[in-house]
Amino acid sequence: MASSFSLLSEDQLLCPICLDTFTKPVSTPCGHNFCLSCLSSYWDNERVYQCPVCKERFERRPDLKVNTFISGLASQFRLLQVTNAHTWSPGPSKESAECAVLCDVCTDVQQQAVKSCFECLTSYCSVHLEPHHRAAGLKRHTLVDPLANLQDKICKEHNRILRLFCLSDKVLLCDICFRSQHMNHDVVPVQQAYGEMKDLLGDTEARVQLMIQEKQQKLEAMKESVKESKRETSEVIAESVKELTALVSEVQRSQTELVKVMEEKQKAAEEQAGVFIVVLEQELIELQRMKMKLMDIKQTEDQLCFLQTFPESVVLPLNTDLPSFSFNRHVELQNVQKHLSSSVSQLQTLLKKMTTEITTFSASNDVTLRNLQQYEVNVLLDPDTAYPLLVLSDDGKQVRYDKSPGRVYPKRPNAFKRHLGVLGQRGLLSQRFYFEVLVSQKTEWCLGVATASVRRRREVTRNPDGGVWAIKFRVKSFEAFSSRGVTVYKGKVERVGVFVDYDKGQISFYDVQTATLIFSFSDCLFTEELYPYFNPCDNECGSNLDPMVIVPVTRTESSLTP
């Protein structure tokens, strides 16, 4: 018998529907074979009767009869499988690899199990396994290599082996689960699913590793950039302080030189004037003597005596030429003051210019934000995309969360089904655009842009390939939507600016009040239109029922783009 079955493979005796060995096999008019229950269940759920394999249609439902020949082959094959222990095995388990599975029947010293039975949910040593090879009823049981936790391998609903895996719903199935609920799904054997999922996991692991390397490179580049910037800043500060210190020293030196020169000139002038003062004082003494002498002569009443002395008394002493000794430095001091004031004024102008340049540098963030605000677009929310628990204002500028009892939730085929999101009405492609949103006192919200193909019927995935580039605020800190749990900025903001440069693959978020960059996505690859994305979040954190409000950019004359 074994030699005859050596010409057959297990696949030839498997039902194409349940992927198990035939049970009461029947044949269709087109020549394909199935389990009676499998084909009956299949046709019960279909409007037309056709072959599940070749899709040939039949005018009426065929009258199925069990093929006794194939049924006998299948029975013999199952018996041969059990006898030779060629049974299905889900592959080596972690438990069997790490520790031995012991016999559940041994009472004294438990021996190591050699097989586990799915029907009995028991592991047996070689001694206690013997009845499964001898008793007719036990021979039909499914024996596998020893496994711990057998109950986890059995369907809880139907008490059958979990042999299949539904790729559509990502669940393990027994043959009854498959026939009753998953006939039209993508179902494969566990071994195949294990291989495919393991390959997929390997691909994902490789992509994650590549992302880790890219992030590490960016991290190292950012650290190196910060280090280089710190070094350059220190050098500029040192050089600037050096030059300004030299300037201060030069001004102080000029001040000292000016005082010295002025004092020396004053001293020289005083010495020159001192000589003239001595001469003038001496002449003044002589003139005083002459005056006294003339007064004495004038008082002489003796006419003869007066006339005898008069010729000698009228001779005046030598008079100094006073105009040649004039001491007047007013004009000279005025000239010095004029030249000094002119030089100081020029220096003050240069200092004011330098201060203005420093102030302009410190206000570069304001300039950057003002330049981005020129790309403002008018954003209106699209009610057809709004999650049912979101309420939009009539003008399309506000969105808030509302779970009030008795609300009527409209059916919108294009709306988010499992995500508190809403998109803008207009998609933008290959250009720059900017808009601002007032988040006020909200304790949680999410804001950014999303692709037109972002998932709406299922939960939006929070990964770089999820189609959403946004920041999420919760209580006091920010995180990137694609990097759950990684804080990118701390603090609370009231007004957020969103700027997108489609061609450069860059999305930036700003605190409008302080003109501070919150976070920026860079080197993004966009292949479709981008829509403004809003998520006001629920009231889990409390005090979060305020709306997110799209507001126009406020411009003043001082904030016009240069």
Side-chain angles (χ1 to χ4, degrees):
M1 180 66 69
S3 62
S4 65
F5 277 103
S6 64
L7 299 176
L8 295 174
S9 67
E10 183 180 4
D11 292 340
Q12 292 174 290
L13 296 174
L14 294 181
C15 172
I17 296 179
C18 68
L19 303 178
D20 200 355
T21 307
F22 287 123
T23 302
K24 295 183 180 181
V26 294
S27 300
T28 59
C30 58
H32 292 103
N33 302 309
F34 306 90
C35 295
L36 175 60
S37 60
C38 292
L39 188 56
S40 297
S41 298
Y42 179 78
W43 281 344
D44 288 341
N45 296 321
E46 295 291 331
R47 293 184 178 181
V48 296
Y49 304 120
Q50 62 181 4
C51 175
V53 176
C54 66
K55 305 303 180 183
E56 180 178 342
R57 294 192 177 189
F58 313 116
E59 292 183 1
R60 60 181 181 178
R61 183 165 178 164
D63 186 15
L64 302 176
K65 303 293 184 182
V66 175
N67 189 321
T68 56
F69 176 72
I70 298 177
S71 179
L73 288 178
S75 298
Q76 292 295 330
F77 192 79
R78 280 195 295 268
L79 179 61
L80 183 65
Q81 282 183 304
V82 174
T83 304
N84 295 331
H86 292 159
T87 54
W88 170 82
S89 173
S93 66
K94 181 177 179 181
E95 295 88 343
S96 62
E98 294 181 352
C99 60
V101 178
L102 301 179
C103 177
D104 295 324
V105 182
C106 293
T107 56
D108 296 331
V109 179
Q110 285 184 301
Q111 301 298 318
Q112 184 171 338
V114 295
K115 290 294 178 182
S116 295
C117 177
F118 273 126
E119 280 72 19
C120 301
L121 293 182
T122 305
S123 297
Y124 298 98
C125 64
S126 58
V127 175
H128 293 110
L129 183 65
E130 189 272 335
H132 280 74
H133 296 310
R134 174 172 44 82
L138 296 179
K139 285 182 179 181
R140 291 189 175 88
H141 287 195
T142 303
L143 300 177
V144 297
D145 290 336
L147 290 173
N149 301 321
L150 278 174
Q151 62 274 14
D152 295 337
K153 279 74 176 177
I154 300 297
C155 176
K156 301 297 188 296
E157 183 178 357
H158 304 110
N159 200 34
R160 299 289 293 269
I161 304 171
L162 296 172
R163 296 174 178 270
L164 307 172
F165 185 77
C166 179
L167 296 175
S168 303
D169 294 338
K170 301 294 187 296
V171 293
L172 288 165
L173 309 173
C174 69
D175 53 349
I176 299 178
C177 292
F178 168 65
R179 289 194 297 268
S180 61
Q181 302 176 18
H182 299 266
M183 288 286 291
N184 297 322
H185 292 186
D186 187 5
V187 177
V188 297
V190 167
Q191 298 95 320
Q192 180 181 341
Y194 174 77
E196 292 179 0
M197 299 298 282
K198 194 170 184 180
D199 291 342
L200 178 61
L201 191 63
D203 294 340
T204 304
E205 183 181 8
R207 292 178 62 186
V208 170
Q209 182 60 33
L210 181 61
M211 292 173 61
I212 289 175
Q213 293 176 356
E214 292 176 352
K215 296 297 182 183
Q216 286 178 338
Q217 291 176 357
K218 288 184 178 181
L219 179 61
E220 293 301 324
M222 181 63 70
K223 289 182 177 179
E224 185 62 28
S225 177
V226 171
K227 184 178 179 181
E228 180 66 17
S229 175
K230 185 176 181 180
R231 183 188 63 80
E232 292 179 353
T233 300
S234 298
E235 291 180 354
V236 170
I237 291 176
E239 187 64 25
S240 301
V241 170
K242 180 180 178 181
E243 292 178 356
L244 291 174
T245 302
L247 177 62
V248 172
S249 299
E250 188 67 22
V251 171
Q252 291 177 341
R253 191 189 67 80
S254 297
Q255 174 184 330
T256 303
E257 186 67 20
L258 175 65
V259 172
K260 178 182 178 182
V261 169
M262 294 294 290
E263 289 179 346
E264 288 178 350
K265 283 186 171 292
Q266 178 65 25
K267 183 178 179 181
E270 289 178 356
E271 290 178 352
Q272 185 179 14
V275 174
F276 293 137
I277 290 174
V278 170
V279 172
L280 290 175
E281 287 179 346
Q282 186 65 36
E283 290 181 353
L284 184 60
I285 292 173
E286 292 296 328
L287 287 174
Q288 291 288 348
R289 290 177 180 175
M290 177 62 70
K291 178 183 177 181
M292 295 299 295
K293 186 175 180 180
L294 292 176
M295 290 178 63
D296 292 339
I297 295 174
K298 184 179 178 181
Q299 293 177 357
T300 303
E301 295 180 357
D302 186 345
Q303 298 178 353
L304 293 178
C305 184
F306 175 82
L307 293 174
Q308 289 176 348
T309 58
F310 182 79
E312 296 180 359
S313 303
V314 296
V315 180
L316 298 176
L318 182 62
N319 188 21
T320 304
D321 188 8
L322 293 177
S324 62
F325 298 102
S326 176
F327 184 73
N328 187 359
R329 299 188 64 237
H330 179 69
V331 175
E332 179 184 5
L333 292 176
Q334 280 188 333
N335 289 334
V336 172
Q337 184 65 36
K338 180 179 179 180
H339 289 302
L340 180 62
S341 298
S342 176
S343 299
V344 170
S345 178
Q346 293 178 12
L347 181 59
Q348 288 176 338
T349 300
L350 293 175
L351 290 175
K352 287 181 180 179
K353 182 179 179 181
M354 180 178 66
T355 302
T356 302
E357 290 175 351
I358 293 175
T359 304
T360 302
F361 174 74
S362 65
S364 59
N365 286 343
D366 294 324
V367 174
T368 299
L369 185 58
R370 289 200 299 269
N371 287 335
L372 300 183
Q373 287 175 334
Q374 66 179 316
Y375 298 104
E376 180 186 14
V377 294
N378 183 27
V379 175
L380 296 176
L381 300 176
D382 185 0
D384 290 338
T385 65
Y387 183 79
L389 294 180
L390 299 185
V391 177
L392 275 59
S393 61
D394 294 337
D395 62 357
K397 291 291 186 179
Q398 301 184 27
V399 57
R400 61 183 176 85
Y401 173 80
D402 186 1
K403 197 179 180 181
S404 302
R407 273 194 60 203
V408 178
Y409 303 116
K411 294 183 178 180
R412 299 163 177 162
N414 296 323
F416 287 96
K417 304 298 183 185
R418 300 181 61 183
H419 184 74
L420 288 172
V422 60
L423 301 179
Q425 293 183 3
R426 177 187 173 194
L428 298 162
L429 181 67
S430 185
Q431 67 180 72
R432 298 175 180 177
F433 62 91
Y434 175 89
F435 60 93
E436 291 184 1
V437 179
L438 187 68
V439 291
S440 189
Q441 301 300 317
K442 292 184 67 63
T443 55
E444 187 177 8
W445 49 264
C446 190
L447 175 66
V449 295
T451 60
S453 62
V454 64
R455 295 169 62 174
R456 301 186 196 179
R457 293 187 176 274
R458 290 191 287 175
E459 186 68 30
V460 176
T461 56
R462 295 188 61 174
N463 59 55
D465 298 327
V468 175
W469 293 268
I471 55 173
K472 183 177 178 63
F473 173 77
R474 185 179 175 88
V475 185
K476 292 183 180 180
S477 62
F478 291 83
E479 62 184 36
F481 184 78
S482 57
S483 300
R484 187 192 299 268
V486 179
T487 301
V488 298
Y489 187 81
K490 288 191 175 182
K492 185 176 178 63
V493 301
E494 293 187 4
R495 192 180 181 115
V496 182
V498 182
F499 173 72
V500 178
D501 191 329
Y502 191 102
D503 296 331
K504 289 186 177 180
Q506 181 177 347
I507 303 172
S508 301
F509 302 86
Y510 288 87
D511 179 352
V512 176
Q513 289 183 310
T514 62
T516 303
L517 177 66
I518 298 174
F519 184 73
S520 182
F521 294 96
S522 58
D523 300 328
C524 302
L525 180 60
F526 305 131
T527 57
E528 53 183 304
E529 287 184 322
L530 297 179
Y531 289 78
Y533 162 82
F534 297 76
N535 180 351
C537 298
D538 55 23
N539 201 39
E540 179 183 352
C541 296
S543 303
N544 198 40
L545 298 180
D546 289 344
M548 299 174 73
V549 184
I550 304 168
V551 291
V553 172
T554 303
R555 295 186 178 91
T556 60
E557 293 184 0
S558 61
S559 64
L560 295 176
T561 304

